[in-house]
Amino acid sequence: MKRILSTTRGRVAAAAAAITAVLLLAYGMPALALAGEVPPGTDAGGVDISGLSPEAARARLEEEFGRPGPLKVEAAGRTVTMKPKDLGVTLDAGATVARAMDGHTTPAGIARSLFGTRTVPPAVEVDDDLLDRRIAALARKVDRRPREGAIAYRGLEPQVTLPTAGRVLDRKEAARAIREAFLARRDEVTLPVRTTPPSVPAAKVREIAASTARAAVAGPLTLTAGDERASLSRDQLASRLRFVPDGHGGMRPAFDASTLVDDLRDDLVAEERRPRDAAFRIANGRPQVVPSRAGRDIDPDGLAKAVTSALASGERVVEVPVVQAQPDLTTAKAKRLGVREKVGSYTTQHPCCAPRVTNIHRIADIVDGHLVMPGQTFSLNGLVGRRDRARGFVEAPMIMNGRFVNDVGGGVSQFATTMFNAVFFGGFEDVQHTPHQYYISRYPAGRESTVSFPQPDFRWRNDSRYGVLIKTSYTDTSITVDFWSTKRWDIESESSGRYNVKGFRKMKDSGPDCLPMEGVQGFAIDVWRIFKKGGKVVRKQRFHTVYQPEPRLTCTART
């Protein structure tokens, strides 16, 4: 019995040994065969790397993922073409191969290699900072804020500007799409763009225009300041009123009061209560400061808020905020301006009593006492505006299109010429002056300027660190412009002889508006402004002027 058991055990052990040997052989031979190679049936991002050595597998991956070349990135019609590495996206071929070979010699790996396939996701390195910067640069070209709707007025009629949607690049999804395009080895990718709606829909804008905006200008507003009253007409209201989004899906009135205060001040704030700027007067041949005064004035921002609040609530009476106000030019500031001596002066002559003299005197009165601050550019048209009968200007001859014609304000070029010479000898910067087309004998040749409205203008800049006080005076036969400031230069003038002289032609005209012209030769001339300090020449400035021949025009009576 014992022998039988012993024999049986021997046979079992022999069989187990045989099975083990078979298994070891079945595992060992494939393991030995697969050692050092990428397993069969291995795919990495669509690239077959089966049976390759690690080095060959890396080379194939780098070749395949580099084959598509630059990536065309498009968003909302904007396109950039860049290499993936310049977008911060690169393939780690070594890590990808390592993934493919991980566990391939285990029994499970051997079985999968012998009887199945394996797909390995490529190992991608992403420089998030670089990719974010590239996407942000594209977003700056793509993103567009919604254009909000608005309501303004043409006359008294509300005019609607309809809103339009905006757009924004979805940056997070854009980064994902670029990575996916790289993995799929595509050569182009379209990035997602979201639409951003305006805060107020178009239908709502139209509704407010037809109701609230129309009601806002249905009648005038009554403005009060204590016991004082004024009226804001429908036209005044409409020209300064808009409706804009209120941030809560509706629209609110927005009123611009910045240009309205000057119109209302006389009605709502007594003159003796208003601030008064410091000024200058000439006494005993020297400038003296007339002290400033604090006072009460309309607050533009407060007025705008009061009007918009009234319109929003449907009120037609507005309490205007009047606040304590300081003058723009205080006594202390005026004293620091250095207005202490005459630095430039010029006088021109004219015959007495012609209509043009009225215009010369009128423009002189407007300019008299004007203060030009350091660095400021003075514009004659900007200060005086259009010459009209309402302010005392009359018709007088002027040059227009090469002929003398009568026009309101004619003759004021003599004032411009006089001021130009005060600028010249005061040493200030000439910004814009336009010589007359024809030479006029009462002016110094090459040192004169015409002016009309709106152009040509006469402009000069106070390029000093001192204020310049302009004082004007006149007689029946002369006009004088004086500049008071702090003297910087001694100015001299030199002129060339007249050259390129041209004769004039003779003409006749029987028209009812004909004004005769005496005929003057044309010529060119150069004038130098010489800047001196301490008797030494510092610099010279050349003014080149060309005058056209003035025809001799004879006006003949119609037959």
Side-chain angles (χ1 to χ4, degrees):
M1 186 67 174
K2 289 183 178 178
R3 186 172 182 179
I4 295 173
L5 290 173
S6 175
T7 303
T8 302
R9 288 173 182 168
R11 290 175 180 174
V12 171
I19 292 170
T20 300
V22 170
L23 291 174
L24 288 173
L25 185 63
Y27 166 71
M29 292 182 64
L32 184 64
L34 294 174
E37 294 182 357
V38 177
T42 301
D43 176 281
V47 179
D48 183 6
I49 55 175
S50 302
L52 298 177
S53 68
E55 294 77 10
R58 284 196 297 269
R60 176 171 293 181
L61 287 171
E62 289 169 351
E63 178 187 3
E64 291 296 329
F65 276 88
R67 182 171 295 172
L71 181 64
K72 183 187 293 184
V73 182
E74 187 272 335
R78 300 279 186 170
T79 302
V80 295
T81 301
M82 301 183 71
K83 294 180 179 178
K85 69 177 182 179
D86 294 333
L87 288 164
V89 182
T90 55
L91 174 73
D92 189 338
T96 303
V97 173
R99 284 181 181 177
M101 299 185 69
D102 184 30
H104 78 293
T105 57
T106 65
I110 294 295
R112 186 168 56 247
S113 298
L114 293 176
F115 306 110
T117 61
R118 70 186 324 195
T119 300
V120 179
V124 177
E125 290 186 347
V126 179
D127 184 337
D128 291 325
D129 289 341
L130 177 57
L131 182 57
D132 288 347
R133 289 199 302 273
R134 299 302 188 197
I135 292 174
L138 182 58
R140 285 193 289 271
K141 299 178 181 179
V142 170
D143 291 357
R144 185 179 64 198
R145 291 182 179 179
R147 187 186 73 181
E148 298 291 350
I151 303 169
Y153 293 85
R154 181 179 297 164
L156 297 175
E157 188 66 24
Q159 300 293 309
V160 172
T161 299
L162 290 176
T164 57
R167 65 189 182 207
V168 61
L169 179 66
D170 188 328
R171 300 190 186 194
K172 183 177 180 180
E173 288 299 309
R176 183 188 60 78
I178 289 173
R179 287 195 295 267
E180 288 183 354
F182 175 74
L183 286 172
R185 292 178 293 146
R186 298 198 301 269
D187 57 5
E188 61 182 35
V189 59
T190 299
L191 304 185
V193 175
R194 297 196 311 269
T195 298
T196 53
S199 63
V200 185
K204 185 69 173 180
V205 176
R206 291 192 183 95
E207 176 189 335
I208 293 171
S211 56
T212 308
R214 195 176 296 279
V217 296
L221 290 184
T222 299
L223 307 179
T224 66
D227 295 332
E228 306 297 334
R229 287 179 169 261
S231 180
L232 186 61
S233 71
R234 296 175 67 198
D235 288 330
Q236 287 177 309
L237 185 57
S239 64
R240 296 168 172 85
L241 180 62
R242 299 174 70 242
F243 281 80
V244 297
D246 62 6
H248 303 288
M251 303 190 79
R252 61 175 178 82
F255 186 73
D256 180 9
S258 60
T259 60
L260 188 61
V261 171
D262 290 342
D263 296 337
L264 298 176
R265 186 177 288 117
D266 288 343
D267 292 329
L268 295 176
V269 184
E271 184 174 1
E272 62 272 13
R273 298 178 61 206
R274 303 176 205 159
R276 183 181 66 196
D277 283 343
F280 292 89
R281 66 184 175 198
I282 307 300
N284 300 319
R286 296 187 63 82
Q288 294 182 354
V289 174
V290 178
S292 63
R293 179 188 69 200
R296 305 280 293 173
D297 203 358
I298 298 170
D299 174 22
D301 291 338
L303 174 59
K305 291 178 182 177
V307 170
T308 55
S309 177
L311 292 175
S313 62
E315 297 290 334
R316 307 307 293 182
V317 178
V318 178
E319 179 66 26
V320 176
V322 177
V323 297
Q324 187 71 17
Q326 296 296 322
D328 293 329
L329 181 63
T330 64
T331 303
K333 289 180 181 178
K335 289 180 177 179
R336 291 196 297 266
L337 284 176
V339 177
R340 58 174 61 98
E341 60 189 322
K342 191 180 293 187
V343 298
S345 180
Y346 204 74
T347 299
T348 58
Q349 308 293 325
H350 55 72
C352 173
C353 311
R356 66 190 302 275
V357 176
T358 298
N359 295 330
I360 295 170
H361 291 179
R362 186 70 195 98
I363 197 170
D365 289 340
I366 294 172
V367 176
D368 184 45
H370 186 74
L371 184 65
V372 184
M373 301 299 284
Q376 184 179 10
T377 296
F378 173 90
S379 163
L380 189 59
N381 279 341
L383 176 63
V384 178
R386 183 181 297 276
R387 275 63 85 179
D388 53 31
R389 289 185 173 86
R391 291 186 298 160
F393 290 96
V394 298
E395 277 195 354
M398 63 178 293
I399 299 173
M400 183 179 294
N401 298 325
R403 297 281 293 268
F404 285 127
V405 298
N406 280 316
D407 194 22
V408 174
V412 295
S413 289
Q414 177 144 4
F415 181 84
T417 289
T418 310
M419 180 178 277
F420 172 79
N421 279 274
V423 170
F424 185 98
F425 288 105
F428 298 103
E429 180 185 344
D430 172 48
V431 175
Q432 179 188 1
H433 89 278
T434 305
H436 285 81
Q437 182 180 2
Y438 307 133
Y439 172 63
I440 300 173
S441 59
R442 59 178 170 268
Y443 305 146
R447 276 198 347 248
E448 49 85 19
S449 179
T450 187
V451 69
S452 187
F453 190 89
Q455 289 293 336
D457 194 4
F458 170 56
R459 298 186 297 142
W460 59 275
R461 192 174 80 90
N462 176 9
D463 56 346
S464 78
R465 57 190 181 95
Y466 309 104
V468 178
L469 173 67
I470 305 172
K471 293 298 292 181
T472 66
S473 58
Y474 47 78
T475 68
D476 288 343
T477 58
S478 68
I479 174 68
T480 299
V481 176
D482 295 327
F483 285 174
W484 297 82
S485 187
T486 293
K487 191 175 180 65
R488 298 178 297 156
W489 308 103
D490 293 314
I491 301 292
E492 294 180 0
S493 178
E494 288 184 0
S495 299
S496 70
R498 302 179 183 186
Y499 59 95
N500 291 342
V501 178
K502 298 180 180 179
F504 57 83
R505 56 185 177 139
K506 298 179 181 179
M507 302 168 56
K508 292 184 179 181
D509 188 351
S510 60
D513 298 325
C514 178
L515 295 176
M517 303 171 70
E518 61 183 21
V520 178
Q521 290 179 327
F523 60 91
I525 191 169
D526 297 313
V527 174
W528 286 269
R529 177 163 60 163
I530 303 171
F531 294 78
K532 287 186 172 182
K533 183 170 286 189
K536 295 183 178 180
V537 175
V538 177
R539 62 186 175 96
K540 293 184 177 182
Q541 181 182 15
R542 174 175 172 261
F543 294 85
H544 175 68
T545 305
V546 177
Y547 294 105
Q548 299 301 317
E550 176 191 320
R552 177 175 293 171
L553 176 63
T554 303
C555 298
T556 60
R558 285 188 175 185
T559 58

